[in-house]
Amino acid sequence: MSTTGRDLARRLRGLVALGTATTLVLFLAYRGVHGDAVPLSDATTPAVLAVDTARNALYDAHDIVRDSGAGGDTSGEFYTQISVAQQSLAVAASENVMGLEGRHDLQTVTGLIAVYSIWLDRRGREPAGSPLRAAYLQYAERVLGPGTGGDIMSRLADLRAGEVAEARRQASFPWPLWLGWGMVAVLWTLLCAALLETQRFLRHRFRRPFDLRLLGATVLCFTSVPTLAWHTVAVHGAMAGALSEIVRPLPAAEVPDTADDVHGALRHAWFWASLSEWVLLGGVVVVALTVWGLWPRIAEYRFRVQR
């Protein structure tokens, strides 16, 4: 009695199980990397650079005050820099990298900037030679910092450290991802080997060069997973490069170039992240082509057994 029908059914069950497992593990592993690429590019990095811009603007504003000497003029360029700092903090708040705690810290810093400006405004209103001028400047510098904590610069430093820590998490490749991609490699190898072995079995039993549907599943499996893995390596490298750009506080002159570099390296991150949904669709197609290719053969042998 022929065992071809049972052999085909056994291969079909194995291919469906391997295809389903490979698809699910690939989906999770792929999304684990690409799911953080878009936030790193579009939220975390802009937030870090916005904090750097605010810090640099505040330092420039205070340099203007110091350079004004006895006149103590706080008009014009001083208020321009204060405005730049406030707008940059608004950008950092809109990115919402640190959540509720981060928004609270930014609100506190914005309030402290207002206090800092008030002290310097009072200093500018005092006549030359007034002892209050030095006192008001000292009060303003205590608010600005950096000091032991609670001042503007100390809070901004803590905020930046938290944002960089989030960027490190997004750009990391922890052991669950290593395990996931290792499982993808094993399952993909087994699936490809099983597809090739099934093609060989069909060619030997039915004297046909190949089955077009099974061939389509094999080609899709062979090409899609390496392509996704290659782009995942490239995206992770770009994420690591973006992290290295923002680890240290940046001077004002480097902020625009850094923003352009990160945006250029991750400009297609949203596209590759969107492909995570197509991973599931691709897996469904592979399984469907496999079933479509083998089921008619299985049904044919069942009919022969019944007859």
Side-chain angles (χ1 to χ4, degrees):
M1 181 177 176
S2 175
T3 61
T4 302
R6 288 198 302 270
D7 291 340
L8 288 171
R10 177 170 53 82
R11 282 172 170 80
L12 178 59
R13 288 193 296 269
L15 288 171
V16 170
L18 277 173
T20 302
T22 303
T23 300
L24 293 177
V25 175
L26 176 62
F27 172 76
L28 295 175
Y30 184 84
R31 196 161 191 169
V33 176
H34 294 267
D36 286 326
V38 174
L40 177 63
S41 174
D42 295 347
T44 309
T45 297
V48 172
L49 297 180
V51 171
D52 282 343
T53 301
R55 293 173 68 254
N56 292 325
L58 289 169
Y59 278 129
D60 290 343
H62 202 67
D63 288 341
I64 292 171
V65 172
R66 288 182 173 277
D67 293 342
S68 65
D73 183 14
T74 56
S75 61
E77 185 61 25
F78 171 83
Y79 288 110
T80 298
Q81 295 299 327
I82 293 296
S83 177
V84 169
Q86 292 174 331
Q87 291 174 6
S88 298
L89 294 180
V91 171
S94 67
E95 303 300 348
N96 197 28
V97 173
M98 301 297 294
L100 181 61
E101 181 181 357
R103 291 197 301 270
H104 179 267
D105 289 341
L106 287 167
Q107 290 172 354
T108 302
V109 171
T110 302
L112 289 174
I113 291 175
V115 173
Y116 168 76
S117 300
I118 289 172
W119 285 124
L120 292 179
D121 186 57
R122 290 182 178 179
R123 175 180 180 267
R125 294 177 183 177
E126 292 296 321
S130 171
L132 290 177
R133 296 175 62 81
Y136 287 146
L137 179 60
Q138 186 178 13
Y139 297 155
E141 289 176 341
R142 288 179 180 175
V143 175
L144 180 63
T148 57
D151 52 75
I152 294 173
M153 291 303 176
S154 297
R155 289 178 182 273
L156 288 180
D158 292 341
L159 180 65
R160 190 186 196 282
E163 292 172 343
V164 170
E166 177 64 13
R168 289 185 187 276
R169 185 198 67 77
Q170 293 169 341
S172 65
F173 204 93
W175 70 264
L177 285 178
W178 283 107
L179 177 62
W181 280 101
M183 292 177 62
V184 168
V186 172
L187 290 171
W188 173 74
T189 302
L190 291 175
L191 178 58
C192 291
L195 286 168
L196 291 175
E197 192 279 334
T198 302
Q199 285 276 22
R200 185 198 62 80
F201 176 81
L202 292 176
R203 185 172 64 250
H204 175 72
R205 290 296 176 93
F206 299 101
R207 306 300 180 182
R208 295 181 61 180
F210 50 79
D211 183 279
L212 287 177
R213 298 154 189 169
L214 207 60
L215 179 62
T218 305
V219 171
L220 181 60
C221 180
F222 261 95
T223 58
S224 60
V225 175
T227 300
L228 293 174
W230 182 81
H231 281 286
T232 298
V233 171
V235 168
H236 178 67
M239 294 169 70
L243 176 63
S244 67
E245 295 268 6
I246 63 174
V247 166
R248 63 179 180 85
L250 299 174
E254 295 183 17
V255 169
D257 291 339
T258 300
D260 290 341
D261 291 344
V262 173
H263 177 73
L266 296 172
R267 62 185 180 278
H268 298 308
W270 65 271
F271 170 75
W272 291 108
S274 68
L275 292 184
S276 60
E277 307 298 334
W278 288 86
V279 170
L280 297 177
L281 179 60
V284 171
V285 171
V286 169
V287 172
L289 287 173
T290 301
V291 174
W292 192 16
L294 291 180
W295 187 254
R297 297 292 185 183
I298 295 173
E300 177 183 349
Y301 271 84
R302 284 182 175 180
F303 176 77
R304 287 181 180 179
V305 171
Q306 289 175 359
R307 186 177 64 181

